[in-house]
Amino acid sequence: MPATIINRCPQLRQAVIPRLKKEADRLLAAHHQPGRHVSFVLVSDQEIQTLNRTYRNKDSATNVLSFSNDAQRDPMLAVTGSHELGEVIISVETARREATELNQPFLLYLVRLMVHGFVHLIGYDHERSPSAAQEMTAMEKKLLSTTITSFGRSHMIKLAINVDHVATIRQARLGREPDPVIAAAQCELAGAVGIVVHLREDRRHIQDRDVRILRETIQTKLNLEMAATEEMIAIARDIKPDMVTLVPEKREELTTEGGLDVVSFADSLDRAIGELQDSEIPVSLFIDPLESQIEAADDVGATFVELHTGTYADAQGDDEREEELDRIVEAAATAFDFGLRVNAGHGLNYVNVGPIAAIEEIEELSIGHAIICRALYVGIDQAVREMREQIGYGIEL
Ligand code: PXP
């Protein structure tokens, strides 16, 4: 049974509408309402304030209003068709403010409001009595847990941790400490589901010895980042990591500066991927969120793409950040439609990770610098657990 999403708020990116539609359809399917239809209308603070004043005598903006079409149950009848179960009106501006205050991914918070409004439509009302409030919360939890598979339920986004910077500190003295192998084990104990290391041609941080020992000790998954050179391909085929992520590499750069140009280097990447796949190593290509690069990645036979989030992370101001986020949302959907598996990473931190973690098609995030920096202050265990909270594992439903 279809739901309709109507976006009347210019501040809401059009790119998120299909995502919200999918969540709304799941919601209606989870609570079977034969033949009925619900409209979710996304509006500004000004518009919701007018509705709140007109229908509830409250002259202020609010986060969500539900207008049931069941006149007996709810006299605040909205102008809807006879198959309408009702309308849920959500203020995008209030939702954004509240999501920020609660430190929750904006999209997740919007879906929570959709659920809240929907539960009102089906007859629950927390304002009636304390026990009615309890019943309503129970129904919201039930619907959230059965419908929102992408937000920390059956399909949790995974966290892989890059431990290069532990090796960077060790290499500052060319000694034995700190050891990225020990750090990797601690990351796994704290819930990381993969360890990433970048073996660079200049060996500035991770050493060959690290990769060899990690191959023996890692309990989850070893993702070897590397350039598509003959030397690195030989090392990968010998060590057999669980996957390889091919990245562009420049000696003079401080960190990876952009995605691979798969379009221009299709032939050599095709060859490199073929050789790695011959050794049964799945390959991910680190690319900018562009359709042309995604299509080329598919053409050369990559299993995964890792979408470069660095430009999003470096964006100045809300508008630029939203624009970059849009590009990643669209690229993730495009890659998924091509049948590619989708990861993302670079420059993600505790503040900016939420909206990326909320993108349904992304399976795994690769995060290094922010976690290792925080670990200096609070320890690896806490730093990893806090990041897991941020990406949605730990959100209380
Ligand atoms: N993904 C790739 C391909 C990278 O090269 C890096 C940096 O080594 C990361 C993810 C992690 O980036 P950050 O350290 O900024 O979290």
Side-chain angles (χ1 to χ4, degrees):
M1 185 186 42
T4 304
I5 308 283
I6 300 165
N7 182 14
R8 287 214 290 255
C9 182
Q11 275 87 4
L12 187 68
R13 294 170 296 112
Q14 210 49 37
V16 305
I17 301 303
R19 173 74 193 276
L20 293 178
K21 161 91 173 117
K22 218 184 282 178
E23 299 293 355
D25 284 342
R26 282 183 193 162
L27 181 60
L28 268 65
H31 192 276
H32 192 49
Q33 294 284 333
R36 307 303 297 273
H37 173 264
V38 177
S39 298
F40 294 89
V41 190
L42 300 148
V43 301
S44 63
D45 267 355
Q46 200 186 5
E47 190 169 350
I48 211 162
Q49 183 167 352
T50 306
L51 290 166
N52 211 12
R53 186 173 54 235
T54 310
Y55 294 100
R56 299 176 74 223
N57 250 335
K58 294 188 179 172
D59 194 10
S60 57
T62 184
N63 50 14
V64 54
L65 290 175
S66 293
F67 294 102
S68 167
N69 224 26
D70 182 343
Q72 276 191 330
R73 201 170 56 220
D74 189 345
M76 297 185 298
L77 200 57
V79 189
T80 52
S82 60
H83 294 293
E84 283 282 332
L85 187 62
E87 291 178 348
V88 175
I89 319 284
I90 294 170
S91 165
V92 172
E93 290 167 287
T94 301
R96 200 181 290 283
R97 269 196 311 278
E98 291 179 349
T100 307
E101 277 161 25
L102 296 167
N103 205 12
Q104 285 193 13
F106 172 58
L107 277 185
L108 169 59
Y109 193 69
L110 267 187
V111 175
R112 281 167 177 259
L113 293 180
M114 286 165 59
V115 171
H116 185 80
F118 177 75
V119 172
H120 268 302
L121 283 189
I122 58 177
Y124 291 80
D125 187 356
H126 53 94
E127 289 181 357
R128 224 178 279 142
S129 67
S131 66
Q134 272 181 355
E135 280 170 22
M136 178 156 179
T137 305
M139 179 50 89
E140 282 180 71
K141 282 187 180 179
K142 184 171 162 224
L143 288 179
L144 274 166
S145 63
T146 53
T147 62
I148 306 168
T149 55
S150 51
F151 292 123
R153 291 286 141 195
S154 61
H155 168 73
M156 288 191 288
I157 192 159
K158 293 179 248 168
L159 174 62
I161 299 182
N162 179 314
V163 293
D164 291 353
H165 292 299
V166 177
T168 302
I169 300 175
R170 178 190 60 194
Q171 294 312 107
R173 289 286 168 94
L174 299 176
R176 296 164 73 110
E177 282 189 325
D179 192 334
V181 174
I182 295 175
Q186 289 185 322
C187 289
E188 288 188 315
L189 287 170
V193 299
I195 300 297
V196 189
V197 286
H198 184 174
L199 185 66
R200 281 181 168 266
E201 188 192 15
D202 63 11
R203 308 296 198 272
R204 69 175 70 162
H205 37 52
I206 292 295
Q207 305 297 304
D208 297 58
R209 160 268 182 206
D210 300 330
V211 187
R212 285 183 200 287
I213 299 178
L214 284 168
R215 174 64 297 178
E216 299 300 318
T217 58
I218 279 177
Q219 305 292 314
T220 55
K221 195 179 68 183
L222 174 61
N223 180 351
L224 178 62
E225 252 183 55
M226 56 182 231
T229 60
E230 271 180 36
E231 181 204 9
M232 288 299 155
I233 291 168
I235 290 173
R237 295 184 70 171
D238 180 34
I239 290 179
K240 290 201 170 46
D242 297 293
M243 67 185 280
V244 156
T245 299
L246 295 176
V247 297
E249 198 174 297
K250 283 192 237 146
R251 267 182 182 263
E252 64 279 12
E253 70 193 356
L254 291 176
T255 180
T256 316
E257 282 173 352
L260 274 172
D261 186 353
V262 190
V263 177
S264 304
F265 297 100
D267 288 346
S268 57
L269 287 168
D270 196 328
R271 232 179 356 262
I273 291 171
E275 287 176 38
L276 290 163
Q277 285 176 345
D278 282 348
S279 296
E280 295 178 0
I281 303 168
V283 179
S284 177
L285 298 181
F286 181 60
I287 57 169
D288 291 325
L290 296 170
E291 188 168 349
S292 54
Q293 297 295 346
I294 294 164
E295 199 177 338
D298 182 55
D299 281 346
V300 297
T303 304
F304 293 85
V305 286
E306 180 179 328
L307 298 176
H308 181 21
T309 50
T311 316
Y312 159 79
D314 292 340
Q316 302 294 315
D318 289 348
D319 287 351
E320 201 180 311
R321 194 167 306 108
E322 287 279 304
E323 229 171 82
E324 292 303 326
L325 183 60
D326 272 355
R327 295 199 319 135
I328 297 168
V329 167
E330 278 161 32
T334 305
F336 188 81
D337 289 345
F338 267 102
L340 290 157
R341 295 174 68 181
V342 190
N343 296 335
H346 210 282
L348 296 176
N349 60 36
Y350 294 83
V351 177
N352 65 22
V353 75
I356 300 292
I359 299 172
E360 182 167 22
E361 293 83 1
I362 297 178
E363 278 185 43
E364 186 172 293
L365 299 176
S366 169
I367 307 181
H369 191 258
I371 294 175
I372 302 304
C373 288
R374 190 156 182 84
L376 286 178
Y377 307 129
V378 302
I380 288 180
D381 187 79
Q382 192 175 324
V384 174
R385 288 178 200 277
E386 286 176 10
M387 185 56 84
R388 289 178 61 209
E389 289 276 319
Q390 292 304 313
I391 71 174
Y393 280 85
I395 290 175
E396 273 277 306
L397 285 177

